[in-house]
Amino acid sequence: MPDDDRRAWETVLAHIETDLLEGRLRPGDRLPGERALAVELGVGRSSVREAIRVLEVLGLIRTATGSGPSAGAIIVALPGGGMSALMRLQMAARGFPVADVVKTRLVLEASVVTELAGAPNRPDLAGSEALLRAMESRELTEAEFLALDAQFHVSLAEASGNQVVTAMMAGLRSAIEGYARAGVPGLVSWPATSARLMLEHRAILAAVASTDAEAARLAVQSHISGYYAETHLT
Amino acid sequence: MPDDDRRAWETVLAHIETDLLEGRLRPGDRLPGERALAVELGVGRSSVREAIRVLEVLGLIRTATGSGPSAGAIIVALPGGGMSALMRLQMAARGFPVADVVKTRLVLEASVVTELAGAPNRPDLAGSEALLRAMESRELTEAEFLALDAQFHVSLAEASGNQVVTAMMAGLRSAIEGYARAGVPGLVSWPATSARLMLEHRAILAAVASTDAEAARLAVQSHISGYYAETHLT
DNA sequence: CTCACTGGTGTGGTCTGACCACAGTACATG
DNA sequence: CATGTACTGTGGTCAGACCACACCAGTGAG
């Protein structure tokens, strides 16, 4: 076996990936128990656990204790799961400059709203609507407001149906929240800014609803870069 | 301590993330040893190892055995590291449809070449050039050719300087290679297709070099969607 | 007969202790 | 002064032991 040149947990990961690729494991299935997997692959249980942990953080599986059909490690493959942790930690380690995050948002979100506006079937924007109402109806702290704001942008990506873009936006979300919150002290007036943000959100939705792709694109781009410019973040 | 409601490895991860955010840890630094970290946080060494493993797969650290300054867990924060593993496994678990990957490529790469063409300083495309030469100079298998092809597209993102987009493209790379290779049997003629692909690559670079952003955008989009259409992949 | 309880069983979660291979370093030795 | 060897500390791995948990089957009382 060529397993000896890899680290033990890598052989476990590779084995599971192979099972996934060849259809022996599909979403909804349960992984063998940690002890069984360890015996099967000839490694220690701790090595199996390290691989399991990686899969869990990457959003591929969900683990639960106890017994019965819902216990154990279940393949879920939820798209945004791992991307979120990844972006969050990369930002923490200064791997990703804020300016690049903003630029990437501009590109991704412009494409999202363009597609939404041009969609043949009216996309379901109920989730996005609900978030806007939540932002408008209550007195929120800045952090709460910005959290909903970021979630609104992710919800647009979800509505577009593109799972890759959705995962990327979900990953970007915490990074977005982070810089948005860091920029609040640089604002002239938070009440004024938040009021403007809410109007801009409405404008974006309205443009999408009226299938005006170009207006939607411009609205979302000025929304994003406007706030970024206003916060004077480096 | 509120650590008790989380799993032990999560407290380790959170602790390291906090140190990262507050500047106590920066790229290039070494993490405390696994044993020391375990004692400090009041958890077992195996829990520390699970957190370390996650950080390693996410591309945040690099581990090495032995002793001396280069041993241990060192913070590297290499951008594309984790994204690659993430996309690869998500694709394996059928979390990401091929069509969505293609659409995302269209968006990201169009933005990349547009920015390259419009850059004030002539971007450094030597790496991309070298890849093209490698593709043209030798007799390559289909898999080798497509691997270089995918790498070429990543190199364009690198040249653009946007680290977030670069990481995303690096993550998409293996997914791209995968569907590109899977589509080869559906082609009418591989020699004809590969010849066309090489011409299109040259056209993209030429458009960028002549700072014709619109031409570059169209060239890259037709390049990507053309091949995808030709392979008849679902 | 029905229902509550209670043990059994198998799951992930964690800790401990032990050993290995490795690489740098300090020290003894020529 | 040069060389080599033992030491030390690192990650990598394994084995075994517990725990908490959740389901499930039996068993008891009503």
Side-chain angles (χ1 to χ4, degrees), chain A:
Chain A
M1 297 243 272
D3 295 357
D4 300 332
D5 52 351
R6 301 185 214 163
R7 289 184 282 180
W9 64 270
E10 284 181 297
T11 79
V12 180
L13 209 52
H15 179 261
I16 295 176
E17 186 179 350
T18 304
D19 279 1
L20 239 26
L21 280 172
E22 309 198 346
R24 282 190 292 273
L25 286 175
R26 345 182 94 267
D29 288 355
R30 280 185 32 194
L31 254 57
E34 297 176 352
R35 295 164 179 85
L37 216 44
V39 172
E40 182 187 346
L41 299 179
V43 300
R45 192 185 159 204
S46 51
S47 297
V48 172
R49 281 185 62 74
E50 292 183 16
I52 297 280
R53 192 64 53 235
V54 168
L55 291 173
E56 182 177 350
V57 171
L58 257 36
L60 260 89
I61 65 176
R62 168 186 73 71
T63 63
T65 62
S67 135
S70 72
I74 284 133
I75 301 181
V76 291
L78 44 95
M83 198 83 73
S84 173
L86 174 58
M87 293 293 305
R88 195 162 39 83
L89 286 162
Q90 287 279 7
M91 291 288 299
R94 317 232 179 339
F96 290 145
V98 174
D100 286 359
V101 173
V102 175
K103 275 192 214 162
T104 309
R105 282 189 71 185
L106 285 171
V107 172
L108 289 178
E109 301 203 43
S111 135
V112 162
V113 295
T114 301
E115 190 158 339
L116 282 175
N121 307 322
R122 189 107 171 231
D124 177 19
L125 295 171
S128 311
E129 268 286 349
L131 284 167
L132 286 197
R133 276 198 301 277
M135 293 170 77
E136 292 160 349
S137 64
R138 290 193 293 272
E139 221 24 64
L140 298 173
T141 68
E142 296 151 4
E144 289 167 344
F145 182 91
L146 292 172
L148 289 173
D149 189 337
Q151 207 173 332
F152 167 75
H153 288 270
V154 176
S155 77
L156 290 179
E158 280 170 6
S160 80
N162 187 320
Q163 295 195 32
V164 176
V165 171
T166 301
M168 288 176 173
M169 281 302 300
L172 252 23
R173 191 184 69 151
S174 61
I176 291 169
E177 265 190 66
Y179 83 67
R181 210 158 41 219
V184 170
L187 297 173
V188 177
S189 158
W190 167 252
T193 297
S194 60
R196 181 175 56 76
L197 292 177
M198 287 188 282
L199 288 177
E200 290 175 348
H201 287 156
R202 285 293 173 194
I204 292 168
L205 274 196
V208 168
S210 61
T211 70
D212 188 342
E214 186 61 9
R217 188 178 66 73
L218 292 174
V220 78
Q221 288 189 326
S222 75
H223 172 64
I224 294 169
S225 48
Y227 182 82
Y228 179 54
E230 198 175 10
T231 56
H232 307 105
L233 283 174
T234 52

Side-chain angles (χ1 to χ4, degrees), chain B:
Chain B
M1 296 247 270
D3 295 357
D4 300 332
D5 53 349
R6 302 183 222 176
R7 288 184 283 181
W9 64 271
E10 284 182 299
T11 78
V12 179
L13 210 51
H15 178 262
I16 295 175
E17 186 179 350
T18 304
D19 279 1
L20 239 26
L21 280 172
E22 310 199 346
R24 282 190 292 272
L25 285 175
R26 345 182 95 267
D29 288 355
R30 280 184 34 192
L31 255 57
E34 297 177 352
R35 295 164 179 85
L37 216 44
V39 172
E40 181 186 347
L41 299 178
V43 300
R45 192 185 158 204
S46 50
S47 298
V48 173
R49 282 185 62 74
E50 292 184 13
I52 296 280
R53 193 63 54 232
V54 168
L55 291 173
E56 182 178 349
V57 171
L58 258 36
L60 261 91
I61 65 176
R62 168 185 73 71
T63 62
T65 62
S67 139
S70 72
I74 283 133
I75 300 181
V76 291
L78 43 95
M83 197 82 74
S84 173
L86 174 59
M87 293 294 305
R88 195 161 40 83
L89 286 163
Q90 287 281 7
M91 291 289 299
R94 308 201 183 12
F96 290 144
V98 174
D100 286 359
V101 173
V102 175
K103 275 191 213 161
T104 309
R105 283 189 69 185
L106 284 172
V107 172
L108 289 179
E109 300 203 43
S111 135
V112 162
V113 294
T114 300
E115 189 157 340
L116 282 175
N121 307 322
R122 188 105 173 234
D124 177 21
L125 295 171
S128 311
E129 268 286 348
L131 284 166
L132 287 197
R133 276 197 302 277
M135 293 170 77
E136 293 160 350
S137 64
R138 289 195 292 272
E139 219 28 61
L140 298 173
T141 67
E142 296 152 4
E144 288 167 344
F145 182 90
L146 291 172
L148 289 173
D149 189 337
Q151 207 173 331
F152 168 74
H153 288 270
V154 175
S155 78
L156 290 178
E158 279 171 6
S160 81
N162 187 320
Q163 294 195 31
V164 176
V165 172
T166 300
M168 289 176 172
M169 281 300 301
L172 288 176
R173 192 185 68 153
S174 62
I176 293 168
E177 265 190 67
Y179 83 68
R181 211 159 40 218
V184 170
L187 297 174
V188 176
S189 159
W190 167 252
T193 297
S194 60
R196 181 174 56 73
L197 292 178
M198 287 189 280
L199 286 178
E200 290 176 348
H201 287 155
R202 283 295 171 191
I204 292 168
L205 273 196
V208 168
S210 61
T211 70
D212 188 343
E214 186 62 9
R217 189 178 66 74
L218 292 174
V220 78
Q221 288 189 326
S222 75
H223 172 62
I224 295 170
S225 49
Y227 181 83
Y228 178 55
E230 197 176 10
T231 56
H232 307 104
L233 284 175
T234 54

